[in-house]
Amino acid sequence: MKCESEAEPSRYTVSPRLHHQLGKNPPLWPQEYRYVKWGKERTRNGNLIGYKFVRYTYHSDTHTEHQNLGTSVTTMAEGPNKGECPTSSKKMRMDSDPNAAITEFLTKCDDYQLFQLTKFYRDRLEQAIEERVDGVSSLLTYERHFSGQEHRKVVDLVEKGNRTDSSKLVLNLVMEKGSRARRVMWKSFVKMHHVVPKLDKILKEMQELGPDPFDYMNIGRGLSEIPSQLKDVQQKHKETLRVQTETLIVNTILIREKVKIFQLVNLYTELTVISTVRDRTLVEHELLARGRDHEEWREKHLRRELEKIRTDQLFHSCFTRRKSKSGSSAAVSGVAGIGKTTMVQKIVYDWATGKIYPHFQFVFSFKFRDLNAINCRINLRNLILDLYPYFGNILGELWKNPEGLLFIFDGLDEFKDSIDFDNNRINTEADYICTAPEDQCEVSDIVYSLIQHKLLPGCSVLVTSRPTALHLLKKAEIRVWAEILGFVGEERKEYFNKFFEDQAVAAAVFKHVEENEILYTMCYNPSYCWILGLSLGPFFTQRDRKQQRVPKTITQLYSNYIYNILKNHGREIESPRDVLLKIGEMAFTGVSEKKIVFRNGDLIKYNLQPSQFLSGFMMELLERDDSAQSVVYTFPHLTIQEFVAALAQFLTPDPGDIRKLLSEAHSKEDGRFEIFLRFVVGLSSSQSARPLVEFLGPFLHQTICGVIDWVKEKVEGEIGNTESETGKRNLLNTFHYLFESQNKILVRVTVGSVDILKFGHLDSRRALRLTPIDCAVLSHVIGLCDTIKHLDLENCYIQCEGLQRLGPALHKCQVLRLGRNKLGDSGVKLLSAALRNPDCKIQELWLWANGLTDSCTEDLSSALSANRSLTVLNLGINKLGDSGVKLLSEALRNPDCKIQKLQLWDNDLTASCTEDLSSALSTNRSLTVLDLGGNKLGDSGVKLLSAALRNPDCKIQELHLNDVGLTDSCTDDLSSALSTNRSLTGLSLGSNSFTDRSVPALRSLILTCRSLERTWLWGNQFSLNGKRHLESLRESRPGLSVGV
């Protein structure tokens, strides 16, 4: 059974009452309940089976009825029918209706409770209904709660693409209309929750909370007012935190101004935070993994499957799961540099200034990095007093109301001690837990006891961590899990606007970043944006315009970053090369050992001294103000550490066996060396090394040659190993090395003999998902090679954005397999440009299942008329419709059109398009294979096609008419038409409604059409006797195949 495209609901009727309310254009309700169909098969009475099919009928007397394959489904019970036993009726509904439990729950809610429920979940409901907001509005209009004008306003916002405002408008209107409108709205939620993941999630949570979630909804209310003796210390505490957090210190690469100080509110850019975290182990370098995952997250976010959560919703909100009054713990995950610490700073600042969390009377924030310096037992009281001594003896009053306390612990991944939340701790728990703030414990035990509500039960705890340490919290009592996605969409542009005072420079830098997909995709990470700002800014200032040399690869970008540091700090020491070599050797050890924090002992080991020069590369951090050894060092970002480690390989006078070092690094399966390897290969390019040579001297030629030989060996080793997903990924990584090298000769030498590149597969599980960055890299490689003839990207999910990056190289391939990539009509516009290219070599173009409509066919038709190379075009499983085929037929009538094989199966075609097709077939001299299967052509459509088949100029050799709704009535026309045809060799008529009455005509067709070699008739309604009569034709002439 072949996979089908998204099912379209059948026609529906609308009552006169609804017509009167909505006007002449009623809303498309079926959009709410669309399902994917997985195959077509018909019962004897013509009903479709084999996939979910939903029919919608609206009647003025019955309101709403769903029919799923003829079975009525109750959607919102109002109580048992008259005369039924309530208990048995309830049990029957619960057994037959999966919505019965939530329906009953909502029915039991009184008007005030439903009001509270709507208010409590409002933020999440606004997100949840965005994709179905017009359907919700339709139902409310049908039930006479919305006026036609109000519904039109909602629909207008949707049509303008502003679904966020439209969902807010619907919720506002519903809250204004009153209790009956709210009940109708929740009724619609029950109906559609199966196809709206966010609604489904909310309704399931409501059921999990039990019959009375209203106590849970009221958590956070009724907190005792702060005692008068605590008001003064609270005010002092807020003022202290405000002063500590109101400024943001940003590092620069300048000698005179090593840091810049900004007001937090002026520079802070909101990050996108989602109320979930992915549940799988990172097996690649974090930055790389998130670069790819970001595309997946963004796609899911656009499909409205992920819920955004604000920082003020981490506690005491509808996101806080489980019915509990023992306090709440939240975990926020994010990769290095994504903004976890800055987000914590903003949370503390907003609390101190009264903007969020008024129910928390006191907030205490700790960094795990600082807690590392405590090497003795301590209690919570002293832990607080060390940072906030002004609490003195008044802390005892705070312990009396733990519900008013929030503890924040930032950077779990940096904590030197492990915190064991596993079950094996239960047996020895008494030795480790702290139950009172005065208990002397290890720091790890204090954190454990707060999170698990053993210490100050009722308090709330926030923990931040990189994904690599998140598994430590797997069995902790965490109520809310969230992940920082970083910047999405316009948030990136906003960052650069705030980074540069000169908005002209900001616009120029962002434009360059936006046009370079390699740089742009990585900009979800604020730290990466910071590096971009520092590196690219000098290229776009009025004083120094050198835009022709602006970095295009990551290696070039970091080379310029280091160049700017050397330019500002290089004259402080006699030999910057020697010092940078030592820093690089220490950095390499850190990469090898997954170490990002370095101490004085590490500096001594590598013969480094704290200096102005060193501070240009590494940040000095104070662990604790009162510690004897308080200073530690770290690179501003993990990627800078990796770049310096890579740079050291070219500065050492004794490189050893560089190929062996690279091979060992490449063999590490956890991906820790992936970015390091890309930097090493990138630095083998003179273009990337040029800025650094000015200060560091020439790079070692021996190392450069060794790196190039290693890359050549890796590419040649992976090029033919692409059957598995791992093999495909390994080859793609080597292509990234080639891109970073910018070595055209190396690309041609390694890939120049390759004629097939296969990253796709018909089975999506065996295809490699490609990001726009990957597509840009592929385009670079293909563009430098004239030998690649076959590019298979089926199921790679490149979308239009990825296709745009591939664009410059597409015309060089002979076979392009791009099936199921969500290219859309805009993607075809890009491909049409490639087809018009006078140097176009594309012979086969596979575009099945790409969401194409008739909107793309004008561009495609124009391109087909101009193109001289394309012979095979697969457009199956799209929605071109009759109007689209009409335009394609114009191209087929063009004598210059070279198409030989055209596949149009499952394209919503009817008999209306066959007149245009028939006209085209009568004049076309190239088309030999036509597939029209899975369309509703019917007998009348085939009758029109038969006219073309009679034409002696028709060159069709294979005609596929499977599952097109044919009956016995059309077989005489087909037989008559083909009796004189001398070109047809293959005819498919499977999955139609032929019976034994057609057997004589079909026998005549097969016997008289002497060119026919293959006939497929499976899936019809022949009797065994009828099948035998047809199968006996195999003996009528040698080589004849008849399949029934």
Side-chain angles (χ1 to χ4, degrees), residues 285-397:
H285 184 287
E286 280 187 355
L287 189 61
L288 280 184
R290 292 303 174 161
R292 278 195 288 276
D293 286 347
H294 187 263
E295 297 302 316
E296 293 182 34
W297 286 124
R298 185 173 67 167
E299 170 227 327
K300 287 185 177 181
H301 176 64
L302 292 175
R303 292 208 315 256
R304 307 296 188 249
E305 290 179 8
L306 290 175
E307 294 181 296
K308 288 180 69 172
I309 180 171
R310 300 191 308 270
T311 52
D312 63 327
Q313 294 174 318
L314 293 170
F315 301 97
H316 300 301
S317 80
C318 52
F319 286 95
T320 311
R321 298 172 181 83
R322 300 183 198 171
K323 189 172 182 179
S324 170
K325 293 187 179 181
S326 63
S328 180
S329 296
V332 177
S333 166
V335 299
I338 200 70
K340 298 184 294 297
T341 299
T342 308
M343 183 195 74
V344 165
Q345 182 178 340
K346 185 68 161 54
I347 289 174
V348 174
Y349 176 80
D350 283 348
W351 175 81
T353 54
K355 294 177 182 175
I356 63 172
Y357 296 138
H359 44 274
F360 289 134
Q361 295 171 357
F362 294 93
V363 173
F364 301 106
S365 182
F366 304 92
K367 288 184 172 65
F368 278 107
R369 183 185 292 162
D370 296 336
L371 298 178
N372 284 336
I374 301 175
N375 53 15
C376 61
R377 295 168 74 85
I378 194 172
N379 59 31
L380 179 61
R381 174 188 178 84
N382 289 331
L383 204 61
I384 293 174
L385 290 177
D386 279 353
L387 287 178
Y388 313 107
Y390 45 81
F391 277 94
N393 295 321
I394 210 165
L395 279 175
E397 292 296 319

Side-chain angles (χ1 to χ4, degrees), residues 397-556:
E397 292 296 319
L398 272 64
W399 310 148
K400 294 178 182 178
N401 184 30
E403 288 83 4
L405 304 179
L406 170 63
F407 294 92
I408 301 176
F409 294 95
D410 182 31
L412 174 63
D413 51 281
E414 297 179 9
F415 194 36
K416 66 179 181 181
D417 298 327
S418 62
I419 306 176
D420 183 10
F421 292 93
D422 212 339
N423 292 331
N424 58 20
R425 183 168 183 158
I426 294 174
N427 299 328
T428 58
E429 198 171 64
D431 297 330
Y432 295 101
I433 64 171
C434 302
T435 57
E438 284 77 22
D439 288 351
Q440 296 287 327
C441 303
E442 298 294 335
V443 172
S444 58
D445 297 328
I446 293 175
V447 176
Y448 168 86
S449 301
L450 286 170
I451 292 175
Q452 299 298 84
H453 313 299
K454 310 291 185 184
L455 174 60
L456 297 177
C459 74
S460 296
V461 182
L462 170 62
V463 180
T464 71
S465 172
R466 281 166 58 183
T468 47
L470 208 59
H471 66 280
L472 298 173
L473 296 171
K474 188 175 182 181
K475 295 190 177 179
E477 291 291 325
I478 302 296
R479 301 286 193 266
V480 175
W481 295 89
E483 179 167 4
I484 301 177
L485 270 185
F487 295 147
V488 175
E490 288 297 304
E491 292 165 354
R492 307 177 191 200
K493 185 175 183 179
E494 183 184 347
Y495 179 93
F496 288 105
N497 287 341
K498 291 182 176 181
F499 186 92
F500 295 102
E501 293 179 7
D502 186 336
Q503 291 303 290
V505 174
V509 169
F510 181 74
K511 184 174 185 293
H512 175 75
V513 170
E514 193 175 30
E515 290 173 351
N516 189 319
E517 192 63 30
I518 301 292
L519 305 181
Y520 181 71
T521 299
M522 307 289 266
C523 277
Y524 73 91
N525 190 306
S527 286
Y528 194 77
C529 290
W530 170 76
I531 294 169
L532 278 169
L534 292 176
S535 302
L536 296 178
F539 288 94
F540 294 93
T541 59
Q542 295 295 330
R543 299 183 306 277
D544 187 13
R545 289 198 173 270
K546 299 177 290 187
Q547 296 184 26
Q548 71 279 6
R549 291 167 49 199
V550 178
K552 293 183 179 179
T553 70
I554 300 174
T555 309
Q556 291 172 13

Side-chain angles (χ1 to χ4, degrees), residues 835-848:
L835 290 171
R836 288 192 195 93
N837 189 316
D839 297 324
C840 179
K841 297 177 182 177
I842 302 173
Q843 296 176 13
E844 295 186 22
L845 182 57
W846 296 63
L847 293 173
W848 55 275

Side-chain angles (χ1 to χ4, degrees), residues 620-661:
E620 298 177 2
L621 301 172
L622 289 176
E623 283 198 311
R624 285 174 64 84
D625 293 337
D626 57 352
S627 173
Q629 290 185 326
S630 60
V631 180
V632 295
Y633 303 87
T634 185
F635 290 90
H637 192 264
L638 178 59
T639 50
I640 296 175
Q641 179 179 336
E642 291 162 322
F643 182 84
V644 175
L647 181 58
Q649 310 309 313
F650 296 88
L651 304 180
T652 176
D654 182 21
D657 189 346
I658 186 67
R659 293 171 67 175
K660 181 181 178 182
L661 182 145

Side-chain angles (χ1 to χ4, degrees), residues 266-285:
N266 293 336
L267 198 63
Y268 186 79
T269 303
E270 287 294 337
L271 296 157
T272 296
V273 184
I274 53 174
S275 63
T276 185
V277 292
R278 65 176 195 166
D279 186 23
R280 59 187 171 98
T281 305
L282 280 172
V283 293
E284 297 177 278
H285 184 287

Side-chain angles (χ1 to χ4, degrees), residues 128-173:
I129 67 173
E130 280 187 16
E131 288 304 292
R132 298 290 185 267
V133 64
D134 37 357
V136 176
S137 179
S138 298
L139 185 56
L140 286 159
T141 308
Y142 173 74
E143 297 277 4
R144 296 184 175 179
H145 294 293
F146 282 8
S147 67
Q149 187 178 5
E150 288 168 334
H151 174 72
R152 190 68 251 165
K153 178 66 175 175
V154 173
V155 173
D156 284 345
L157 288 170
V158 171
E159 289 174 351
K160 291 174 183 176
N162 200 345
R163 288 185 173 273
T164 301
D165 285 349
S166 67
S167 64
K168 286 181 179 178
L169 176 60
V170 166
L171 265 296
N172 284 337
L173 289 171

